[in-house]
Every structure is written in structure tokens, then in C-alpha cells.
Amino acid sequence: MPHVDADPQVAQLRHRRREMRRELARVRWWRRLVRARMDLSVARLADVHELETLGLDEAWEALAADAPTPPELSHAIWPDAESATPRSVEALASLDARLQSYEERVSENLETVTAQMVRALGDARSVDARTRGGAHG
């Protein structure tokens, strides 16, 4: 097997595959952040004061004792009081769509490189087996 790992094509494909996996992880991380930001923007568009006026019956009031209020939560999530707009949500959705497209291309590339690496490993093993078989035969 040392001959297989020494094959320059296999080494190059391993490196490319490792880089594609890193890039795919990075893109997925950014997509999670963009989607979380989009969720926060949509939540920001909700009227916090409307949530306060929903009213609670006595059972809920007991459960909600000492629970954070909507304004407290809002301030914790948006300390800079930046306003979200429908346009900012659309921009985030567009950014996420572009990231998704890129993620799909990276994923396809990873699959291609993986298939090439498997083929190269098989070819290298076949050559190694023929070499060992010819030397012993």
C-alpha cells in the first residue's frame, strides 16, 4: 500500500478533496449565519408591543412569572436597535440563494474529486498488484 499513497495523482486528489470539504463546511457555516440573520430580521419586523398585549390567563401568568419580557428579549437580540426592513430580508434571502448555489457547486466538485480519487486508488492498486505479481511469478 505505500506505493498507492506515494502516487502523485492520488496525493493531489486527496489534497483537492480535503480543500473541497473545508470549503463546503465554510459555505454551510455562512449559510447558517445568513439564515439566522434572516430569522432575526423577520422577528424584528414583528411588533414587540403587539406580543405584550396578547394577554395571559392566570395559568400562563403563573408560568410566565420572572420570564423575560418581549422588550428584554428584543434588546438582548438587537442591542443596537438596528431596524429590519422587508428589503433587508429580501437581500438576505438573495444572499442565501447565492450561497446555496455555490454550496451545490462545491458539493458536486467534492463528489467528482472523490470519484476521481477512488478511481486513481483503484488504478494504483492494480498497478501495484501487477508489479508484485510479476516479480513473484
Side-chain angles (χ1 to χ4, degrees), residues 6 19 22 27 31 49 59-60 69 75 84 90 98-100 104 109 116-117 124 126 129 132:
E19 291 302 312
R22 279 188 191 127
V27 170
R31 284 201 68 208
H49 300 294
W60 281 107
T69 64
H75 181 69
E90 289 171 5
R98 289 173 48 212
L99 277 169
Q100 179 181 7
E104 290 167 0
N109 194 317
Q116 290 172 347
M117 190 177 82
S126 295
R132 279 190 282 147

Side-chain angles (χ1 to χ4, degrees), residues 46-102:
D47 186 3
V48 173
H49 300 294
E50 180 180 308
L51 296 174
E52 290 180 312
T53 61
L54 290 177
L56 301 172
D57 61 25
E58 291 175 15
W60 281 107
E61 286 179 23
L63 283 175
D66 199 37
T69 64
E72 287 175 299
L73 294 169
S74 178
H75 181 69
I77 294 171
W78 301 283
D80 58 0
E82 179 183 327
S83 293
T85 65
R87 183 170 288 182
S88 68
V89 174
E90 289 171 5
L92 288 166
S94 174
L95 182 61
D96 183 53
R98 289 173 48 212
L99 277 169
Q100 179 181 7
S101 176
Y102 179 58

